[in-house]
Structures are given as C-alpha cells and as structure tokens.
Amino acid sequence: MMLLGPEICGNLAAATQREWLETNGLGGFASSTISGLNTRRYHGLLTAALTPPVGRFVLLSKLEETLIVNGERFELSANQYPGAVHPQPIVSTM
C-alpha cells in the first residue's frame, strides 16, 4: 500500500499526475487519478472487456460524491472543464 499525504493530495496538479489501476484478470479494470479527475479517455470505475481480451467498454465513468456532515456539504468528486475545475480546490495554509 502506498500512503500519500496532504502535500500530494492537497495539490491538484500533483494529485492529477498520480494514477491508480485495478484489474480483474479478465480484461476489465477500473482506473483514474487520485484526485478523481478522469484525465484519459479510458479512465473509469467499471470498464468491461465484453469480448476478451479486447472489446473494452467503459460502463461507469465516475460518480459524483458529496459528504454531508451536520448540514455542511463537502464535494468529494472533481471535474475539469476548459479553464476551470469544479469544485474550486481549497488552498491549504500549511
């Protein structure tokens, strides 16, 4: 297991450069960046190989996640658009 601290996870550029990949051994996989931004067309949470080992289809690209604690909303997912990222990254003062 690899542990990443706030110096990576709190930095959008650094977090977006780090990717993860989980395979199922049958040609299917899940992958993205640790920031949750899908920066490649094959990033997705459920990619299945319908005709293994090729014929891959992204069946679930991502989920929009929000945590609500005592009525306060925390957006956990992120999306990148031309010239903008939503939600705006919180700038750490650490």
Side-chain angles (χ1 to χ4, degrees), residues 1-23:
M1 178 183 344
M2 180 183 297
L3 298 176
L4 301 171
E7 67 282 352
I8 300 295
C9 296
N11 180 322
L12 183 62
T16 302
Q17 291 177 0
R18 286 164 173 80
E19 300 181 22
W20 58 269
L21 170 68
E22 184 70 34
T23 65

Side-chain angles (χ1 to χ4, degrees), residues 15-78:
T16 302
Q17 291 177 0
R18 286 164 173 80
E19 300 181 22
W20 58 269
L21 170 68
E22 184 70 34
T23 65
N24 69 356
L26 301 172
F29 63 89
S31 68
S32 189
T33 63
I34 65 168
S35 66
L37 290 175
N38 289 347
T39 59
R40 301 181 190 275
R41 70 182 191 111
Y42 58 79
H43 278 163
L45 298 178
L46 178 58
T47 301
L50 301 182
T51 55
V54 294
R56 292 187 177 98
F57 293 87
V58 176
L59 302 176
L60 177 63
S61 61
K62 70 179 300 173
L63 296 172
E64 295 297 325
E65 304 150 323
T66 303
L67 177 65
I68 302 173
V69 178
N70 295 328
E72 188 174 0
R73 297 175 63 91
F74 299 92
E75 302 293 333
L76 302 179
S77 57

